[in-house]
Amino acid sequence: MGLNDSSPFRIGIDIGGTHISAAKVGTVDRRFLIQDLYQQEVDTGLNAESIISSWTQAISKVSEGRRDVQFGISMPGPFDYDHGVSRIQVQGKMKALYGLSVKDLLAEQLQVSTGQIKFINDAEAFLTGESLAGSGMGLDHLIGITLGTGLGSAIKVQEVTKDAKLWTAPFRNGIAEDYLGTRWFVNKAFAGYGVQIAGVKDLLDSSFDPGIAQHLFEEFGRTLGEFLIPYLVRLQIQKVILGGKISQSAPRFVPATLDYLRKFGVQVPIEVSHLGENAALIGAISPFLNH
């Protein structure tokens, strides 16, 4: 089964701090089809020329030199998505691109016009993909949360899906990202139990104390519930969709989240992404689609 010949040739691209994924994204009988997925690790701590060169190489593996292509790119913020200019200043990751037009640089390397390249926030792309083809289909009020090194978030209300920027939301004694990401697990494991871990993956190792792992996951789950409640109620959310590396451990912490919500009379289903990494690739091309 191939892509519709009548549909535009589109490539969805998901860019992160350490990787790039690209694939042809088409439709068959109103279903999205991902083909020729290519993934590559990228050292975004290098200079701008090296980063752009690595990204171009990966994208070209999929585009195969064609010029009649629409490139939709999912990109973490801060980023000027309309103009394609990076505002990322975090030490290491993509710092060399700050203030540069990534759109112009990629267009030059790919030998296409800037109008063929559009950007979308990564969390927004994730939720848009799930809404179009995953576990959010047919629902009007959604929250997408990506749990990993950082906290990504997007909200869909009716036909509008936007980056929610909830990582900076005031929460407890800091901001949400202090409590809902890898850093919390690392800090809590050491402060609470005197053990050093690199991330959630260590908790799943057969040699790790299962009791400590359970306590950490359950506390994380309750914290997620505490954080979500005001948004679920105020926005009349129909479903929460989880993505990111930590979501792969959802069976360990989501039951605690649901228990916490039920105590306050809130019953909203929480599901892990049905599409996985394909959600962002589908969402990435959404700026080219007529919904």
Side-chain angles (χ1 to χ4, degrees), residues 76-98:
F79 196 88
D80 181 340
Y81 294 97
D82 290 333
H83 299 98
V85 176
S86 177
R87 299 299 179 197
I88 299 172
Q89 299 186 72
V90 177
Q91 179 63 38
K93 296 180 181 179
M94 305 187 204
K95 187 177 180 181
L97 295 175
Y98 176 75

Side-chain angles (χ1 to χ4, degrees), residues 7-234:
S7 64
F9 190 83
R10 299 189 177 111
I11 292 178
I13 300 154
D14 180 35
I15 288 177
T18 60
H19 81 282
I20 180 172
S21 301
K24 296 171 185 171
V25 182
T27 55
V28 174
D29 300 327
R30 296 194 176 187
R31 293 185 296 109
F32 285 89
L33 183 66
I34 305 292
Q35 286 189 337
D36 300 333
L37 174 65
Y38 180 79
Q39 298 174 303
Q40 179 177 306
E41 291 188 2
V42 179
D43 184 351
T44 57
L46 300 177
N47 59 41
E49 183 180 356
S50 297
I51 298 170
I52 295 297
S53 177
S54 293
W55 289 347
T56 301
Q57 179 185 40
I59 296 168
S60 297
K61 291 278 189 182
V62 181
S63 67
E64 300 170 342
R66 288 181 60 166
R67 302 286 180 263
D68 58 333
V69 182
Q70 294 175 330
F71 301 92
I73 303 178
S74 163
M75 175 78 75
F79 196 88
D80 181 340
Y81 294 97
D82 290 333
H83 299 98
V85 176
S86 177
R87 299 299 179 197
I88 299 172
Q89 299 186 72
V90 177
Q91 179 63 38
K93 296 180 181 179
M94 305 187 204
K95 187 177 180 181
L97 295 175
Y98 176 75
L100 300 180
S101 173
V102 177
K103 177 182 282 191
D104 288 347
L105 292 170
L106 284 176
E108 180 181 358
Q109 291 295 311
L110 293 167
Q111 299 180 30
V112 298
S113 71
T114 55
Q116 291 172 253
I117 301 175
K118 293 187 178 182
F119 294 88
I120 182 173
N121 172 267
D122 55 351
E124 188 177 329
F126 163 72
L127 186 57
T128 298
E130 286 293 333
S131 178
L132 290 172
S135 56
M137 291 179 67
L139 300 177
D140 293 326
H141 294 247
L142 299 166
I143 283 184
I145 299 289
T146 54
L147 301 166
T149 304
L151 172 67
S153 60
I155 294 174
K156 177 188 177 185
V157 177
Q158 301 297 335
E159 296 301 315
V160 179
T161 302
K162 289 293 183 184
D163 172 24
K165 299 183 176 70
L166 296 182
W167 70 277
T168 61
F171 186 65
R172 293 183 181 173
N173 296 319
I175 60 174
E177 193 170 81
D178 295 335
Y179 299 88
L180 294 170
T182 300
R183 187 169 65 248
W184 178 85
F185 279 99
V186 172
N187 293 341
K188 187 66 176 182
F190 185 73
Y193 303 95
V195 294
Q196 292 185 325
I197 62 171
V200 173
K201 186 177 180 180
D202 290 350
L203 304 183
L204 305 175
D205 191 280
S206 59
S207 64
F208 194 86
D209 186 318
I212 294 177
Q214 181 179 349
H215 285 305
L216 288 170
F217 278 123
E218 288 181 352
E219 182 173 348
F220 182 82
R222 291 191 295 271
T223 300
L224 179 61
E226 178 186 345
F227 170 71
L228 286 174
I229 270 187
Y231 304 103
L232 302 184
V233 173
R234 187 168 74 242

Side-chain angles (χ1 to χ4, degrees), residues 238-261:
Q238 295 164 288
K239 183 181 288 186
V240 177
I241 305 175
L242 300 180
K245 293 291 186 183
I246 295 177
S247 74
Q248 295 172 8
S249 301
R252 305 293 296 274
F253 64 83
V254 165
T257 305
L258 295 173
D259 284 345
Y260 185 94
L261 295 178

Side-chain angles (χ1 to χ4, degrees), residues 259-289:
D259 284 345
Y260 185 94
L261 295 178
R262 278 193 290 267
K263 289 178 182 177
F264 292 88
V266 177
Q267 297 197 47
V268 176
I270 299 176
E271 288 189 14
V272 176
S273 164
H274 285 190
L275 299 173
E277 62 192 16
N278 288 346
L281 297 174
I282 292 171
I285 68 159
S286 65
F288 292 105
L289 301 178

